[in-house]
Amino acid sequence: MTDFLQLKKDNIFRVGIRTADGKDTGEFLEFDMEDIELPLRLNECEALHRKNLEFLKMQLVIIDKKEEKQGKYLLSWKEEEKLKLLQEFYKRETEALDLFLGKGGTLKLLNGRKPYYSMYDDISEILEPILPKLQLNVEEITNKIKKKYSALKEENILE
C-alpha cells in the first residue's frame, strides 16, 4: 500500500482556452494567486520580449550588410539566414511567454498554430482582460502572514 501526499489547490485561477471560432480546446492555464513571483515573471517576460526584438533587429542588420551568396536551393543565402533568425526569434518569444504562462502555455494558446512575428502582442492582448484578476495583492498576502503568525505569538504570551 502506498500513501500519497497532495497539496490543496487553494487560490488557483484557472482560465480555459478556446479556438479562434470559440470552441473549447479542453486546455487551460493555471495561475497561483499566492505566487509572489507572478508579477516579477510578468515583468521579466516583457523585458525578454524587448531584448528579443532588439536581437532580431541587430541580426537583420548584420545579415543585410553581408554579401549575397547563392543559397542551397530556391532561396538566397540571406533569405535562408533571415528565416533561421526568425525561427530563433520565435523560440525566444515562446520561452519568454512561457515564463509567465507556464511551461507549454504558449503552445496551448496557439492551439496548433506555429509561432509567428506578432504572437507576443496577440497573446498580450488576449491576456489583458484577465490581468487585473492576476494582480497580486502583496499587502493582502503580507497581512495574511502577519495575522497567522501574530496569532501564534499571542498564544505564546498567554502561557
Side-chain angles (χ1 to χ4, degrees), residues 25-91:
T25 65
E27 295 282 355
F28 55 88
L29 299 174
E30 286 187 340
F31 299 94
D32 183 349
M33 301 307 288
E34 290 191 10
D35 180 359
I36 59 172
E37 293 181 0
L38 189 62
L40 297 174
R41 286 197 310 273
L42 180 59
N43 284 343
E44 190 173 345
C45 178
E46 179 65 28
L48 285 173
H49 170 63
R50 291 173 194 266
K51 284 181 184 178
N52 292 340
L53 287 173
E54 281 303 309
F55 166 78
L56 180 64
K57 288 176 189 174
M58 295 295 284
Q59 294 301 313
L60 285 171
V61 168
I62 291 169
I63 291 170
D64 283 337
K65 287 185 177 184
K66 291 188 177 182
E67 189 176 322
E68 184 63 85
K69 303 178 209 172
Q70 178 61 37
K72 289 182 182 177
Y73 300 106
L74 297 175
L75 301 175
S76 71
W77 176 84
K78 282 186 180 183
E79 291 170 329
E80 287 176 9
E81 289 302 306
K82 287 179 182 180
L83 288 175
K84 289 177 191 174
L85 175 61
L86 282 171
Q87 286 178 320
E88 177 64 23
F89 174 72
Y90 297 158
K91 179 182 166 218

Side-chain angles (χ1 to χ4, degrees), residues 98-115:
D98 278 358
L99 186 65
F100 178 67
L101 299 173
K103 188 170 181 147
T106 307
L107 294 178
K108 287 179 184 179
L109 284 174
L110 290 175
N111 193 35
R113 184 175 179 183
K114 300 260 186 203

Side-chain angles (χ1 to χ4, degrees), residues 19-20 24 28 37 39 41 46 60 66 74 91-92 100 121 123 127 144 149-151 154:
T19 62
D24 185 358
F28 55 88
E37 293 181 0
R41 286 197 310 273
E46 179 65 28
L60 285 171
K66 291 188 177 182
L74 297 175
K91 179 182 166 218
R92 289 177 179 218
F100 178 67
D121 295 331
I123 289 176
L127 289 176
K144 201 175 191 182
Y149 290 105
S150 67
E154 289 173 11

